[in-house]
Amino acid sequence: MTDRVPAEQVMREMIAAACPDAAPETVRELAQDVADTGLRQVSRPESMRKVAARFAGMLGSGSQTVKPLEFTVLTGLFSLRIDGRRVTLGQRKARAVLLGLLLRGGQASVAQLINDLWGDQPPASARATLMTYVAHLRRIFSALERPELAGGNVLTTIHGGYALNMGLVSSDLQRAQELEQLARRAQEAGDLAVARHALLSALGQFQGRPLAEEVGSFAEAQGHMLDEWRLVLEEGQLALQGQALELDLQHQVLDGTADLTASELLLARMAATGMTTQEIAARLAITRRTVENHLTHIYRKLGISSHQALPEAVGHGTKPPADTDLGRASGRSRGTP
């Protein structure tokens, strides 16, 4: 069994080598996730490197360089840290300005930010007050004693609105979004292992219900949307896990089962675990006679003559998923042999 520490080191080395501009925390989290969940059956360094290389290749090299400002969005309270130290952002509406920019990818119009702060009935002084909040935030950034954060480098004025310099900003939300995109690319490429690990890493960015401790209609609405997004990620991860289980089931069988159809393979595996024909019929919502007919074909294809020979012919001990439906797997209607 591969030891976690060297496995994780290989992951870090491979991912960092392929993605020299990737944020260190992204490399670390991906490496830990693969070491935790992806290498339990891997015993050779070459196999470990292949997994890491696939991960790194899917991540790509377009990530930004190390970012000094770390925002937390996917937790109860929206906050900012720099070098691990928490920085006070001031009153709620000043935080809402930053939150509105982050949730829109770093850029928002004056009208959007005013609506975030006051809804459909802003005061006459809304624009001037917004400018006051922006000036307040710029003073906070300038006080951090980092040359790159001085003046308006972080929060800039653009035509009709404001923008964050995303080269100086990092957030748990951004990492989760990048990991979701990684999962999508991996799934399209047929690499379910990388896709599943990426979604697990994305879910790992959430620490409780997003923005639950923030007040105001904008924060509440955004927190609800982020919580819904987490459910989408969870559903995607569970679906990938189901696909992986099905593939694992197929990979466990011996070469002699190559001539079996998908439905015959599933039925043979169920029978090999000791289930009776009646139990199989009840599980799959088909008739007992259908099961018996399928088993007759299976025996002939495998070159065996009895139920007792199935375990050795198709492998031992793994039961198919509880919701397996032979009719769906074979493309036939219920009760049809």
Side-chain angles (χ1 to χ4, degrees):
M1 181 67 69
T2 302
D3 185 89
R4 176 200 165 119
V5 174
E8 187 174 318
Q9 288 175 348
V10 171
M11 295 303 107
R12 290 193 191 186
E13 291 171 4
M14 291 297 297
I15 296 172
C19 312
D21 294 333
E25 63 270 19
T26 300
V27 174
R28 182 177 64 253
E29 289 166 3
L30 292 179
Q32 289 174 346
D33 184 67
V34 177
D36 282 338
T37 62
L39 297 174
R40 291 172 181 161
Q41 305 300 323
V42 176
S43 58
R44 295 181 300 170
E46 313 89 80
S47 300
M48 292 161 49
R49 294 181 189 279
K50 288 180 181 179
V51 174
R54 294 203 319 271
F55 225 134
M58 288 293 177
L59 182 62
S61 58
S63 301
Q64 296 167 325
T65 56
V66 177
K67 304 164 186 175
L69 295 176
E70 172 62 30
F71 291 97
T72 57
V73 180
L74 304 179
T75 187
L77 185 66
F78 175 55
S79 62
L80 166 65
R81 291 182 180 274
I82 182 168
D83 297 330
R85 175 173 55 89
R86 187 167 178 172
V87 177
T88 301
L89 291 173
Q91 57 182 292
R92 173 179 63 84
K93 288 189 176 180
R95 295 200 306 273
V97 172
L98 278 177
L99 184 60
L101 290 166
L102 278 172
L103 293 177
R104 294 185 177 93
Q107 185 172 314
S109 67
V110 168
Q112 287 174 320
L113 294 173
I114 287 176
N115 186 70
D116 293 348
L117 297 174
W118 293 285
D120 296 332
Q121 297 180 326
S125 60
R127 184 177 291 268
T129 304
L130 173 60
M131 293 174 62
T132 300
Y133 293 141
V134 170
H136 169 73
L137 292 168
R138 284 173 173 164
R139 285 195 297 272
I140 291 176
F141 297 142
S142 296
L144 296 176
E145 299 181 353
R146 287 285 189 89
E148 68 272 21
L149 305 181
N153 287 349
V154 179
L155 182 50
T156 62
T157 301
I158 60 174
H159 179 69
Y162 297 96
L164 283 173
N165 183 342
M166 298 305 288
L168 300 175
V169 169
S170 179
S171 73
D172 51 4
L173 173 61
Q174 183 182 8
R175 285 195 297 276
Q177 291 171 332
E178 290 173 350
L179 287 162
E180 182 189 29
Q181 293 172 4
L182 165 62
R184 186 177 298 112
R185 294 197 300 271
Q187 189 172 8
E188 290 172 353
D191 199 330
L192 300 185
V194 168
R196 190 170 69 255
H197 299 325
L199 284 185
L200 284 169
S201 294
L203 287 166
Q205 300 298 317
F206 288 82
Q207 302 296 323
R209 188 177 182 278
L211 306 177
E213 298 176 40
E214 293 288 344
V215 296
S217 59
F218 173 70
E220 291 175 4
Q222 295 302 314
H224 178 73
M225 291 176 62
L226 290 171
D227 211 33
E228 290 292 322
W229 178 47
R230 175 171 59 180
L231 293 177
V232 171
L233 295 178
E234 289 176 351
E235 291 173 0
Q237 191 275 327
L238 289 173
L240 287 171
Q241 186 177 26
Q243 293 179 47
L245 286 173
E246 291 181 8
L247 289 174
D248 184 59
L249 175 64
Q250 294 179 25
H251 291 161
Q252 289 182 45
V253 301
L254 302 179
D255 292 339
T257 64
D259 292 335
L260 300 183
T261 66
S263 58
E264 289 171 341
L265 177 59
L266 290 171
L267 192 149
R269 291 290 290 172
M270 296 176 78
T273 63
M275 295 178 68
T276 66
T277 54
Q278 187 60 45
E279 289 171 336
I280 295 172
R283 171 77 69 84
L284 301 178
I286 57 179
T287 66
R288 181 173 179 174
R289 181 172 179 175
T290 297
V291 175
E292 293 170 346
N293 287 338
H294 272 287
L295 286 174
T296 298
H297 291 301
I298 290 168
Y299 297 159
R300 185 169 61 250
K301 287 184 177 182
L302 294 178
I304 61 178
S305 59
S306 69
H307 193 108
Q308 288 71 28
L310 275 173
E312 183 177 353
V314 301
H316 302 267
T318 302
K319 290 187 178 182
D323 60 350
T324 300
D325 186 301
L326 183 61
R328 287 197 304 269
S330 64
R332 302 183 180 98
S333 61
R334 178 184 292 186
T336 303

